[in-house]
Amino acid sequence: MTGWARKFERLLIHLDVDVLDFADMPLAENTRRNVGLSFDQLMAALKVFVGAANWSALTVCELNPDHGASDGTHICRISSRRNRCCAAFSARAVNGFELELFRVFAVAV
């Protein structure tokens, strides 16, 4: 991660699920199709951002589980990939503060 991100002591990533193509991952509030990132593109970008030395937090918004599969597979898929993406970076210390990875999604299957 270069440029603007290095100017800050801590980097917060705010992930709005509406950036996803609804046809690829039907969890967003925005139900337009074929206008957003694929799920794999989003996860690749997220991995770069959480790899920044000053990454401190991740928020996720606009995720609507009612739009996904009724068995919870879409929620499980995004949760699992998000956790794997962040896990490698969740235990390192940034500026003396130990990072903690909080589970944002609760899945009742």
Side-chain angles (χ1 to χ4, degrees):
M1 178 68 54
T2 61
W4 66 268
R6 290 184 179 174
K7 296 186 283 188
F8 305 101
E9 184 177 338
R10 290 187 185 86
L11 183 61
L12 165 79
I13 301 164
H14 177 76
L15 173 59
D16 187 325
V17 178
D18 282 338
V19 301
L20 284 170
D21 182 343
F22 191 82
D24 190 43
M25 180 61 73
L27 291 174
E29 282 296 310
N30 179 352
T31 59
R32 292 177 290 162
R33 292 166 178 6
N34 301 316
V35 295
L37 297 173
S38 72
F39 180 65
D40 289 336
Q41 289 171 323
L42 177 62
M43 291 297 107
L46 183 60
K47 189 173 183 177
V48 170
F49 283 109
V50 300
N54 55 345
W55 172 65
S56 298
L58 170 67
T59 62
V60 179
C61 74
E62 298 299 330
L63 186 141
N64 187 333
D66 292 334
H67 290 172
S70 61
D71 66 357
T73 54
H74 290 109
I75 292 289
C76 289
R77 183 174 174 214
I78 198 170
S79 297
S80 174
R81 288 281 300 274
R82 189 270 336 267
N83 289 347
R84 282 195 316 252
C85 185
C86 295
F89 306 102
S90 66
R92 71 163 187 251
V94 173
N95 297 321
F97 292 93
E98 194 68 25
L99 295 176
E100 299 261 346
L101 187 62
F102 295 96
R103 300 211 184 276
V104 176
F105 306 112
V107 180
V109 179

